[in-house]
Amino acid sequence: MSDGCCGTTAVEIEPIVAHAAPSALPVVVIGAGPVGLAAAAHLAERGQEFLVLEAGEQAAASVAQWGHVRVFSPWKFNIDAAAKRLLEADGWSEPDPEWLPTGAELITDYLAPLAKLFGDKVRLSTKVTAISRLGYDRVRTNGREDVPFLIRLDGGEELQARAIIDASGTYFTPNVLGASGLPAYGEAGAGELVDHALPDVLGTDRETYEGKHTLVVGAGHSAATTLLALAQLDDIQITWAIRAGSASRTYGGGAADALPARGALGTRLRAHVDSGRIQLLTGFFAHSVTRSGDQVTVVSRDPSGAEQSVTVDRIVSATGYRPDHSIASELRLDLDPILGSTRALAPLIDPNQHSCGTVPAHGVDELAHPEPGYYAVGVKSYGRAPTFLMATGYEQVRSVVAAVAGDWEAARDVQLDLPETGVCSSNLAEAQEQRVGLATGISGGLLATPLPLATVGASSDGGSCCG
């Protein structure tokens, strides 16, 4: 070792001997949503020890936040194969494969029974605050692969794991309201007057929006879903703000849209804009937010410096989501500088080049980081790309779990079987409306009015795809 701090001699750092061999430790899954529970199902089938850590008070806590919304895709694309096998062995009956479930139905008819199968292997109200290697920070190399992962919980407890499958999602890390990726001035001060995507405006949040003027910001399917729900309320004023010069991208191709349910969504929305029910503001780049009592004024400043403003009672910020990798800051991650996914995955999911229907199947090789044994999966793996499909997440975890179990042949045999036209069907939605009306979240009641369809996973200002 050199005497000075700037010498060129390599520094030898002795490896640290772990208290437990990594092979004797469980695989820890972070998040008990659809993809996290699917990972648990594959681990269970392969006889791997595992533990699922869920920050929420119930399994699929994030899904519960939009339980009132019906997804585009029918049941047959929403159930993981390994999960199905385990559930059927326990006497579970699969829901109608052609039915379009709500988020609440996803939980009650699939995710809650699945989580129950795993018993105390699913720990609720358990938030992960940091991940590292036992005795190693990000710099230390020698012997790194031979020590367990160290997982720190918000209650002060620490756990060890031999591998980590991070399916924690992005629901609680939404994009900011402001343009250019930066918070609008005063955005934080707007407080409870700003909601994020998919509030239950026809159910539990109805009183919050009735008789109010609401601004919806965003051009994706979450924004469209909220706008269509708001349009069903009486005595309400609705303003919709987008950065683009027109809403044609949100409207889609109508009846000619490659994803029919997306086309139906756009057609309904356009009719409300054309009739004046919804006021559309284009070229809107949120720059500042000023609260005055129970109202808030949002000022837009476009790239040329031109300003426009709107004063409202409520704001719904449907600007999408972004991943939070801070819990893994002491791990060696190789993140794409644009999307925040792995570098290998980024070109396959780039929203500038792909829609959800053109993203190829991918698995452990595309999800791997320089930190062996750590994998971010599900919507978090996509970073800021809004092209995630639930079925894609299921194939991700099948591949990753196979690799963790040492079955590399199966891990690299990645496949994704979806119809050529996508996983959406407006005909299914229309038939469902005629059969039972639509769940609204109002004490389980039904309405005969069309329920907006929404996507599962990420949605962004640029639009998203299907569940």
Side-chain angles (χ1 to χ4, degrees), residues 122-166:
V122 176
R123 288 181 54 177
L124 304 177
S125 301
T126 305
K127 183 178 180 180
V128 174
T129 60
I131 309 168
S132 188
R133 291 277 191 178
L134 185 61
Y136 283 67
D137 61 16
R138 192 166 67 189
V139 176
R140 186 182 291 267
T141 297
N142 191 16
R144 184 180 191 88
E145 296 182 18
D146 300 323
V147 301
F149 287 98
L150 178 68
I151 301 169
R152 181 168 291 178
L153 307 181
D154 61 350
E157 183 182 0
E158 291 185 343
L159 305 175
Q160 295 180 25
R162 69 183 181 90
I164 294 176
I165 300 175
D166 184 352

mmCIF file of all heavy atoms in Angstrom, residues 122-166:
data_model
loop_
_atom_site.group_PDB
_atom_site.id
_atom_site.type_symbol
_atom_site.label_atom_id
_atom_site.label_comp_id
_atom_site.label_asym_id
_atom_site.label_seq_id
_atom_site.Cartn_x
_atom_site.Cartn_y
_atom_site.Cartn_z
ATOM 1 N N VAL A 122 -45.542 -14.192 3.847
ATOM 2 C CA VAL A 122 -45.872 -12.840 3.410
ATOM 3 C C VAL A 122 -46.003 -11.975 4.646
ATOM 4 O O VAL A 122 -46.894 -12.181 5.471
ATOM 5 C CB VAL A 122 -47.176 -12.806 2.587
ATOM 6 C CG1 VAL A 122 -47.538 -11.365 2.221
ATOM 7 C CG2 VAL A 122 -47.042 -13.656 1.332
ATOM 8 N N ARG A 123 -45.120 -11.025 4.817
ATOM 9 C CA ARG A 123 -45.139 -10.121 5.962
ATOM 10 C C ARG A 123 -45.685 -8.765 5.530
ATOM 11 O O ARG A 123 -45.100 -8.107 4.665
ATOM 12 C CB ARG A 123 -43.732 -9.969 6.550
ATOM 13 C CG ARG A 123 -43.246 -11.204 7.280
ATOM 14 C CD ARG A 123 -41.865 -10.998 7.877
ATOM 15 N NE ARG A 123 -41.793 -9.803 8.732
ATOM 16 C CZ ARG A 123 -40.695 -9.441 9.411
ATOM 17 N NH1 ARG A 123 -39.595 -10.201 9.357
ATOM 18 N NH2 ARG A 123 -40.703 -8.355 10.149
ATOM 19 N N LEU A 124 -46.812 -8.368 6.102
ATOM 20 C CA LEU A 124 -47.450 -7.099 5.770
ATOM 21 C C LEU A 124 -46.913 -5.981 6.671
ATOM 22 O O LEU A 124 -46.281 -6.237 7.686
ATOM 23 C CB LEU A 124 -48.961 -7.219 5.916
ATOM 24 C CG LEU A 124 -49.638 -8.331 5.102
ATOM 25 C CD1 LEU A 124 -51.127 -8.371 5.394
ATOM 26 C CD2 LEU A 124 -49.384 -8.134 3.608
ATOM 27 N N SER A 125 -47.189 -4.741 6.278
ATOM 28 C CA SER A 125 -46.746 -3.562 7.032
ATOM 29 C C SER A 125 -45.251 -3.633 7.333
ATOM 30 O O SER A 125 -44.795 -3.292 8.427
ATOM 31 C CB SER A 125 -47.544 -3.427 8.340
ATOM 32 O OG SER A 125 -48.928 -3.318 8.074
ATOM 33 N N THR A 126 -44.492 -4.082 6.340
ATOM 34 C CA THR A 126 -43.053 -4.257 6.494
ATOM 35 C C THR A 126 -42.358 -3.528 5.354
ATOM 36 O O THR A 126 -42.277 -4.029 4.239
ATOM 37 C CB THR A 126 -42.672 -5.750 6.472
ATOM 38 O OG1 THR A 126 -43.421 -6.449 7.482
ATOM 39 C CG2 THR A 126 -41.190 -5.940 6.721
ATOM 40 N N LYS A 127 -41.865 -2.346 5.646
ATOM 41 C CA LYS A 127 -41.273 -1.503 4.612
ATOM 42 C C LYS A 127 -39.762 -1.629 4.599
ATOM 43 O O LYS A 127 -39.103 -1.505 5.631
ATOM 44 C CB LYS A 127 -41.661 -0.044 4.836
ATOM 45 C CG LYS A 127 -41.151 0.902 3.754
ATOM 46 C CD LYS A 127 -41.601 2.327 4.002
ATOM 47 C CE LYS A 127 -41.093 3.255 2.907
ATOM 48 N NZ LYS A 127 -41.539 4.656 3.134
ATOM 49 N N VAL A 128 -39.213 -1.878 3.423
ATOM 50 C CA VAL A 128 -37.760 -1.943 3.246
ATOM 51 C C VAL A 128 -37.235 -0.524 3.052
ATOM 52 O O VAL A 128 -37.730 0.225 2.199
ATOM 53 C CB VAL A 128 -37.392 -2.816 2.034
ATOM 54 C CG1 VAL A 128 -35.890 -2.770 1.771
ATOM 55 C CG2 VAL A 128 -37.846 -4.253 2.266
ATOM 56 N N THR A 129 -36.238 -0.144 3.842
ATOM 57 C CA THR A 129 -35.674 1.202 3.725
ATOM 58 C C THR A 129 -34.296 1.215 3.091
ATOM 59 O O THR A 129 -33.858 2.259 2.591
ATOM 60 C CB THR A 129 -35.582 1.876 5.103
ATOM 61 O OG1 THR A 129 -34.742 1.086 5.969
ATOM 62 C CG2 THR A 129 -36.969 2.005 5.729
ATOM 63 N N ALA A 130 -33.591 0.071 3.091
ATOM 64 C CA ALA A 130 -32.255 0.045 2.496
ATOM 65 C C ALA A 130 -31.829 -1.402 2.259
ATOM 66 O O ALA A 130 -32.235 -2.314 2.979
ATOM 67 C CB ALA A 130 -31.244 0.745 3.388
ATOM 68 N N ILE A 131 -30.986 -1.572 1.228
ATOM 69 C CA ILE A 131 -30.416 -2.883 0.902
ATOM 70 C C ILE A 131 -28.923 -2.695 0.688
ATOM 71 O O ILE A 131 -28.487 -1.753 0.024
ATOM 72 C CB ILE A 131 -31.023 -3.477 -0.383
ATOM 73 C CG1 ILE A 131 -32.550 -3.459 -0.348
ATOM 74 C CG2 ILE A 131 -30.506 -4.890 -0.613
ATOM 75 C CD1 ILE A 131 -33.170 -3.770 -1.692
ATOM 76 N N SER A 132 -28.122 -3.607 1.234
ATOM 77 C CA SER A 132 -26.684 -3.584 0.993
ATOM 78 C C SER A 132 -26.190 -5.029 1.028
ATOM 79 O O SER A 132 -26.988 -5.967 0.966
ATOM 80 C CB SER A 132 -25.984 -2.728 2.045
ATOM 81 O OG SER A 132 -24.625 -2.560 1.719
ATOM 82 N N ARG A 133 -24.880 -5.198 1.087
ATOM 83 C CA ARG A 133 -24.256 -6.496 1.343
ATOM 84 C C ARG A 133 -23.725 -6.493 2.769
ATOM 85 O O ARG A 133 -23.210 -5.474 3.237
ATOM 86 C CB ARG A 133 -23.112 -6.748 0.365
ATOM 87 C CG ARG A 133 -23.535 -6.975 -1.065
ATOM 88 C CD ARG A 133 -23.945 -8.410 -1.301
ATOM 89 N NE ARG A 133 -24.096 -8.696 -2.723
ATOM 90 C CZ ARG A 133 -24.414 -9.886 -3.226
ATOM 91 N NH1 ARG A 133 -24.593 -10.914 -2.412
ATOM 92 N NH2 ARG A 133 -24.541 -10.056 -4.507
ATOM 93 N N LEU A 134 -23.852 -7.586 3.455
ATOM 94 C CA LEU A 134 -23.441 -7.669 4.859
ATOM 95 C C LEU A 134 -21.951 -7.341 4.996
ATOM 96 O O LEU A 134 -21.089 -8.087 4.529
ATOM 97 C CB LEU A 134 -23.719 -9.067 5.411
ATOM 98 C CG LEU A 134 -23.452 -9.259 6.902
ATOM 99 C CD1 LEU A 134 -24.344 -8.336 7.736
ATOM 100 C CD2 LEU A 134 -23.690 -10.709 7.303
ATOM 101 N N GLY A 135 -21.663 -6.199 5.607
ATOM 102 C CA GLY A 135 -20.281 -5.781 5.824
ATOM 103 C C GLY A 135 -19.634 -5.089 4.646
ATOM 104 O O GLY A 135 -18.462 -4.711 4.719
ATOM 105 N N TYR A 136 -20.377 -4.887 3.563
ATOM 106 C CA TYR A 136 -19.811 -4.319 2.340
ATOM 107 C C TYR A 136 -20.612 -3.094 1.897
ATOM 108 O O TYR A 136 -21.841 -3.157 1.781
ATOM 109 C CB TYR A 136 -19.856 -5.338 1.205
ATOM 110 C CG TYR A 136 -18.807 -6.421 1.258
ATOM 111 C CD1 TYR A 136 -18.821 -7.376 2.264
ATOM 112 C CD2 TYR A 136 -17.806 -6.500 0.307
ATOM 113 C CE1 TYR A 136 -17.866 -8.380 2.326
ATOM 114 C CE2 TYR A 136 -16.847 -7.495 0.345
ATOM 115 C CZ TYR A 136 -16.887 -8.427 1.357
ATOM 116 O OH TYR A 136 -15.935 -9.418 1.404
ATOM 117 N N ASP A 137 -19.914 -2.000 1.615
ATOM 118 C CA ASP A 137 -20.567 -0.910 0.917
ATOM 119 C C ASP A 137 -20.388 -1.125 -0.579
ATOM 120 O O ASP A 137 -19.884 -2.165 -1.012
ATOM 121 C CB ASP A 137 -20.029 0.452 1.381
ATOM 122 C CG ASP A 137 -18.538 0.629 1.110
ATOM 123 O OD1 ASP A 137 -17.976 -0.150 0.309
ATOM 124 O OD2 ASP A 137 -17.945 1.550 1.697
ATOM 125 N N ARG A 138 -20.767 -0.149 -1.381
ATOM 126 C CA ARG A 138 -20.742 -0.332 -2.829
ATOM 127 C C ARG A 138 -19.316 -0.433 -3.379
ATOM 128 O O ARG A 138 -19.079 -1.012 -4.443
ATOM 129 C CB ARG A 138 -21.471 0.845 -3.502
ATOM 130 C CG ARG A 138 -21.754 0.621 -4.970
ATOM 131 C CD ARG A 138 -22.745 1.632 -5.495
ATOM 132 N NE ARG A 138 -22.213 2.984 -5.498
ATOM 133 C CZ ARG A 138 -22.940 4.063 -5.744
ATOM 134 N NH1 ARG A 138 -24.246 3.945 -5.954
ATOM 135 N NH2 ARG A 138 -22.392 5.259 -5.755
ATOM 136 N N VAL A 139 -18.353 0.108 -2.654
ATOM 137 C CA VAL A 139 -16.977 0.153 -3.145
ATOM 138 C C VAL A 139 -16.258 -1.180 -2.974
ATOM 139 O O VAL A 139 -15.489 -1.614 -3.828
ATOM 140 C CB VAL A 139 -16.204 1.281 -2.432
ATOM 141 C CG1 VAL A 139 -14.733 1.272 -2.852
ATOM 142 C CG2 VAL A 139 -16.848 2.629 -2.739
ATOM 143 N N ARG A 140 -16.502 -1.853 -1.867
ATOM 144 C CA ARG A 140 -15.732 -3.061 -1.532
ATOM 145 C C ARG A 140 -16.067 -4.209 -2.481
ATOM 146 O O ARG A 140 -17.240 -4.521 -2.704
ATOM 147 C CB ARG A 140 -16.026 -3.473 -0.092
ATOM 148 C CG ARG A 140 -15.181 -4.627 0.417
ATOM 149 C CD ARG A 140 -15.577 -4.991 1.831
ATOM 150 N NE ARG A 140 -15.205 -3.956 2.777
ATOM 151 C CZ ARG A 140 -14.077 -3.935 3.459
ATOM 152 N NH1 ARG A 140 -13.191 -4.909 3.300
ATOM 153 N NH2 ARG A 140 -13.813 -2.968 4.309
ATOM 154 N N THR A 141 -15.033 -4.864 -3.030
ATOM 155 C CA THR A 141 -15.223 -5.899 -4.051
ATOM 156 C C THR A 141 -14.846 -7.291 -3.580
ATOM 157 O O THR A 141 -15.610 -8.240 -3.747
ATOM 158 C CB THR A 141 -14.404 -5.554 -5.311
ATOM 159 O OG1 THR A 141 -14.877 -4.330 -5.860
ATOM 160 C CG2 THR A 141 -14.537 -6.661 -6.359
ATOM 161 N N ASN A 142 -13.662 -7.451 -3.001
ATOM 162 C CA ASN A 142 -13.109 -8.770 -2.726
ATOM 163 C C ASN A 142 -14.035 -9.584 -1.821
ATOM 164 O O ASN A 142 -14.300 -9.207 -0.683
ATOM 165 C CB ASN A 142 -11.723 -8.621 -2.076
ATOM 166 C CG ASN A 142 -10.980 -9.943 -2.004
ATOM 167 O OD1 ASN A 142 -11.355 -10.902 -2.683
ATOM 168 N ND2 ASN A 142 -9.953 -9.983 -1.184
ATOM 169 N N GLY A 143 -14.560 -10.695 -2.338
ATOM 170 C CA GLY A 143 -15.440 -11.570 -1.575
ATOM 171 C C GLY A 143 -16.898 -11.134 -1.555
ATOM 172 O O GLY A 143 -17.725 -11.734 -0.861
ATOM 173 N N ARG A 144 -17.227 -10.112 -2.324
ATOM 174 C CA ARG A 144 -18.569 -9.537 -2.284
ATOM 175 C C ARG A 144 -19.664 -10.559 -2.585
ATOM 176 O O ARG A 144 -20.705 -10.604 -1.929
ATOM 177 C CB ARG A 144 -18.637 -8.375 -3.278
ATOM 178 C CG ARG A 144 -19.956 -7.620 -3.262
ATOM 179 C CD ARG A 144 -19.971 -6.483 -4.279
ATOM 180 N NE ARG A 144 -21.116 -5.636 -4.050
ATOM 181 C CZ ARG A 144 -21.141 -4.601 -3.219
ATOM 182 N NH1 ARG A 144 -20.057 -4.292 -2.535
ATOM 183 N NH2 ARG A 144 -22.243 -3.884 -3.064
ATOM 184 N N GLU A 145 -19.444 -11.380 -3.589
ATOM 185 C CA GLU A 145 -20.476 -12.329 -4.011
ATOM 186 C C GLU A 145 -20.719 -13.433 -2.993
ATOM 187 O O GLU A 145 -21.716 -14.154 -3.082
ATOM 188 C CB GLU A 145 -20.085 -12.960 -5.351
ATOM 189 C CG GLU A 145 -20.017 -11.954 -6.498
ATOM 190 C CD GLU A 145 -19.683 -12.618 -7.812
ATOM 191 O OE1 GLU A 145 -19.847 -13.855 -7.911
ATOM 192 O OE2 GLU A 145 -19.264 -11.910 -8.746
ATOM 193 N N ASP A 146 -19.832 -13.563 -2.019
ATOM 194 C CA ASP A 146 -19.936 -14.657 -1.063
ATOM 195 C C ASP A 146 -20.669 -14.272 0.217
ATOM 196 O O ASP A 146 -20.806 -15.104 1.117
ATOM 197 C CB ASP A 146 -18.536 -15.165 -0.702
ATOM 198 C CG ASP A 146 -17.788 -15.681 -1.915
ATOM 199 O OD1 ASP A 146 -18.445 -16.285 -2.790
ATOM 200 O OD2 ASP A 146 -16.560 -15.455 -2.002
ATOM 201 N N VAL A 147 -21.112 -13.019 0.312
ATOM 202 C CA VAL A 147 -21.806 -12.590 1.527
ATOM 203 C C VAL A 147 -23.272 -12.319 1.207
ATOM 204 O O VAL A 147 -23.630 -12.014 0.069
ATOM 205 C CB VAL A 147 -21.158 -11.338 2.152
ATOM 206 C CG1 VAL A 147 -19.710 -11.616 2.505
ATOM 207 C CG2 VAL A 147 -21.266 -10.137 1.219
ATOM 208 N N PRO A 148 -24.147 -12.428 2.198
ATOM 209 C CA PRO A 148 -25.583 -12.225 1.963
ATOM 210 C C PRO A 148 -25.927 -10.759 1.725
ATOM 211 O O PRO A 148 -25.157 -9.845 2.044
ATOM 212 C CB PRO A 148 -26.234 -12.715 3.260
ATOM 213 C CG PRO A 148 -25.172 -13.388 4.046
ATOM 214 C CD PRO A 148 -23.869 -12.827 3.591
ATOM 215 N N PHE A 149 -27.095 -10.556 1.200
ATOM 216 C CA PHE A 149 -27.673 -9.220 1.169
ATOM 217 C C PHE A 149 -28.140 -8.868 2.580
ATOM 218 O O PHE A 149 -28.617 -9.722 3.331
ATOM 219 C CB PHE A 149 -28.871 -9.167 0.222
ATOM 220 C CG PHE A 149 -28.498 -9.203 -1.229
ATOM 221 C CD1 PHE A 149 -28.549 -10.398 -1.940
ATOM 222 C CD2 PHE A 149 -28.103 -8.054 -1.889
ATOM 223 C CE1 PHE A 149 -28.207 -10.445 -3.270
ATOM 224 C CE2 PHE A 149 -27.763 -8.089 -3.233
ATOM 225 C CZ PHE A 149 -27.809 -9.286 -3.935
ATOM 226 N N LEU A 150 -28.013 -7.607 2.918
ATOM 227 C CA LEU A 150 -28.511 -7.075 4.181
ATOM 228 C C LEU A 150 -29.703 -6.164 3.875
ATOM 229 O O LEU A 150 -29.590 -5.229 3.085
ATOM 230 C CB LEU A 150 -27.421 -6.285 4.900
ATOM 231 C CG LEU A 150 -27.832 -5.624 6.224
ATOM 232 C CD1 LEU A 150 -28.104 -6.690 7.276
ATOM 233 C CD2 LEU A 150 -26.748 -4.656 6.697
ATOM 234 N N ILE A 151 -30.831 -6.446 4.495
ATOM 235 C CA ILE A 151 -32.058 -5.689 4.247
ATOM 236 C C ILE A 151 -32.465 -5.001 5.536
ATOM 237 O O ILE A 151 -32.677 -5.651 6.563
ATOM 238 C CB ILE A 151 -33.194 -6.618 3.771
ATOM 239 C CG1 ILE A 151 -32.771 -7.343 2.492
ATOM 240 C CG2 ILE A 151 -34.485 -5.835 3.539
ATOM 241 C CD1 ILE A 151 -33.695 -8.461 2.096
ATOM 242 N N ARG A 152 -32.565 -3.692 5.487
ATOM 243 C CA ARG A 152 -32.949 -2.913 6.662
ATOM 244 C C ARG A 152 -34.420 -2.514 6.542
ATOM 245 O O ARG A 152 -34.864 -2.015 5.497
ATOM 246 C CB ARG A 152 -32.056 -1.681 6.791
ATOM 247 C CG ARG A 152 -32.363 -0.814 7.995
ATOM 248 C CD ARG A 152 -31.263 0.204 8.211
ATOM 249 N NE ARG A 152 -30.025 -0.446 8.660
ATOM 250 C CZ ARG A 152 -28.897 0.213 8.894
ATOM 251 N NH1 ARG A 152 -28.845 1.528 8.716
ATOM 252 N NH2 ARG A 152 -27.822 -0.443 9.302
ATOM 253 N N LEU A 153 -35.184 -2.715 7.634
ATOM 254 C CA LEU A 153 -36.608 -2.411 7.658
ATOM 255 C C LEU A 153 -36.859 -1.140 8.462
ATOM 256 O O LEU A 153 -36.046 -0.752 9.302
ATOM 257 C CB LEU A 153 -37.388 -3.579 8.256
ATOM 258 C CG LEU A 153 -37.136 -4.951 7.627
ATOM 259 C CD1 LEU A 153 -37.990 -6.020 8.307
ATOM 260 C CD2 LEU A 153 -37.410 -4.914 6.131
ATOM 261 N N ASP A 154 -38.018 -0.515 8.210
ATOM 262 C CA ASP A 154 -38.294 0.766 8.853
ATOM 263 C C ASP A 154 -38.469 0.650 10.364
ATOM 264 O O ASP A 154 -38.338 1.638 11.089
ATOM 265 C CB ASP A 154 -39.504 1.452 8.234
ATOM 266 C CG ASP A 154 -40.787 0.646 8.360
ATOM 267 O OD1 ASP A 154 -40.719 -0.535 8.760
ATOM 268 O OD2 ASP A 154 -41.860 1.189 8.049
ATOM 269 N N GLY A 155 -38.735 -0.538 10.871
ATOM 270 C CA GLY A 155 -38.878 -0.715 12.310
ATOM 271 C C GLY A 155 -37.575 -0.948 13.038
ATOM 272 O O GLY A 155 -37.562 -1.166 14.249
ATOM 273 N N GLY A 156 -36.459 -0.937 12.315
ATOM 274 C CA GLY A 156 -35.151 -1.140 12.935
ATOM 275 C C GLY A 156 -34.616 -2.552 12.783
ATOM 276 O O GLY A 156 -33.456 -2.821 13.101
ATOM 277 N N GLU A 157 -35.448 -3.480 12.292
ATOM 278 C CA GLU A 157 -35.020 -4.864 12.100
ATOM 279 C C GLU A 157 -34.150 -4.986 10.858
ATOM 280 O O GLU A 157 -34.295 -4.237 9.894
ATOM 281 C CB GLU A 157 -36.258 -5.751 11.964
ATOM 282 C CG GLU A 157 -35.957 -7.242 11.831
ATOM 283 C CD GLU A 157 -37.217 -8.064 11.643
ATOM 284 O OE1 GLU A 157 -38.324 -7.471 11.616
ATOM 285 O OE2 GLU A 157 -37.099 -9.297 11.512
ATOM 286 N N GLU A 158 -33.242 -5.954 10.880
ATOM 287 C CA GLU A 158 -32.423 -6.257 9.708
ATOM 288 C C GLU A 158 -32.556 -7.730 9.365
ATOM 289 O O GLU A 158 -32.584 -8.587 10.250
ATOM 290 C CB GLU A 158 -30.954 -5.899 9.955
ATOM 291 C CG GLU A 158 -30.725 -4.393 10.062
ATOM 292 C CD GLU A 158 -29.260 -4.022 10.197
ATOM 293 O OE1 GLU A 158 -28.443 -4.928 10.526
ATOM 294 O OE2 GLU A 158 -28.938 -2.847 9.976
ATOM 295 N N LEU A 159 -32.653 -8.019 8.077
ATOM 296 C CA LEU A 159 -32.763 -9.383 7.572
ATOM 297 C C LEU A 159 -31.630 -9.655 6.603
ATOM 298 O O LEU A 159 -31.020 -8.724 6.053
ATOM 299 C CB LEU A 159 -34.102 -9.577 6.847
ATOM 300 C CG LEU A 159 -35.391 -9.246 7.606
ATOM 301 C CD1 LEU A 159 -36.592 -9.377 6.672
ATOM 302 C CD2 LEU A 159 -35.537 -10.156 8.806
ATOM 303 N N GLN A 160 -31.361 -10.941 6.380
ATOM 304 C CA GLN A 160 -30.378 -11.336 5.383
ATOM 305 C C GLN A 160 -31.054 -12.185 4.315
ATOM 306 O O GLN A 160 -32.036 -12.879 4.578
ATOM 307 C CB GLN A 160 -29.235 -12.113 6.033
ATOM 308 C CG GLN A 160 -28.413 -11.287 7.005
ATOM 309 C CD GLN A 160 -27.282 -12.072 7.637
ATOM 310 O OE1 GLN A 160 -26.792 -13.060 7.066
ATOM 311 N NE2 GLN A 160 -26.858 -11.644 8.826
ATOM 312 N N ALA A 161 -30.521 -12.119 3.090
ATOM 313 C CA ALA A 161 -31.104 -12.854 1.971
ATOM 314 C C ALA A 161 -30.006 -13.291 1.023
ATOM 315 O O ALA A 161 -28.944 -12.662 0.946
ATOM 316 C CB ALA A 161 -32.104 -11.979 1.221
ATOM 317 N N ARG A 162 -30.275 -14.376 0.310
ATOM 318 C CA ARG A 162 -29.292 -14.825 -0.683
ATOM 319 C C ARG A 162 -29.550 -14.202 -2.046
ATOM 320 O O ARG A 162 -28.673 -14.158 -2.904
ATOM 321 C CB ARG A 162 -29.267 -16.342 -0.789
ATOM 322 C CG ARG A 162 -30.497 -16.995 -1.394
ATOM 323 C CD ARG A 162 -30.333 -18.507 -1.362
ATOM 324 N NE ARG A 162 -31.439 -19.221 -1.948
ATOM 325 C CZ ARG A 162 -31.507 -19.564 -3.237
ATOM 326 N NH1 ARG A 162 -30.529 -19.239 -4.058
ATOM 327 N NH2 ARG A 162 -32.546 -20.230 -3.696
ATOM 328 N N ALA A 163 -30.756 -13.731 -2.272
ATOM 329 C CA ALA A 163 -31.099 -13.030 -3.511
ATOM 330 C C ALA A 163 -32.280 -12.122 -3.213
ATOM 331 O O ALA A 163 -33.035 -12.351 -2.262
ATOM 332 C CB ALA A 163 -31.436 -14.009 -4.636
ATOM 333 N N ILE A 164 -32.446 -11.097 -4.037
ATOM 334 C CA ILE A 164 -33.545 -10.150 -3.850
ATOM 335 C C ILE A 164 -34.265 -9.950 -5.178
ATOM 336 O O ILE A 164 -33.642 -9.677 -6.206
ATOM 337 C CB ILE A 164 -33.038 -8.800 -3.318
ATOM 338 C CG1 ILE A 164 -32.478 -8.968 -1.907
ATOM 339 C CG2 ILE A 164 -34.156 -7.755 -3.328
ATOM 340 C CD1 ILE A 164 -31.883 -7.708 -1.345
ATOM 341 N N ILE A 165 -35.591 -10.081 -5.132
ATOM 342 C CA ILE A 165 -36.442 -9.785 -6.282
ATOM 343 C C ILE A 165 -37.290 -8.579 -5.880
ATOM 344 O O ILE A 165 -38.201 -8.688 -5.065
ATOM 345 C CB ILE A 165 -37.322 -10.992 -6.653
ATOM 346 C CG1 ILE A 165 -36.442 -12.200 -7.009
ATOM 347 C CG2 ILE A 165 -38.250 -10.644 -7.809
ATOM 348 C CD1 ILE A 165 -37.227 -13.480 -7.285
ATOM 349 N N ASP A 166 -36.960 -7.430 -6.434
ATOM 350 C CA ASP A 166 -37.598 -6.178 -6.052
ATOM 351 C C ASP A 166 -38.788 -5.904 -6.973
ATOM 352 O O ASP A 166 -38.627 -5.472 -8.115
ATOM 353 C CB ASP A 166 -36.592 -5.034 -6.126
ATOM 354 C CG ASP A 166 -37.163 -3.709 -5.637
ATOM 355 O OD1 ASP A 166 -38.378 -3.632 -5.390
ATOM 356 O OD2 ASP A 166 -36.382 -2.740 -5.513
#
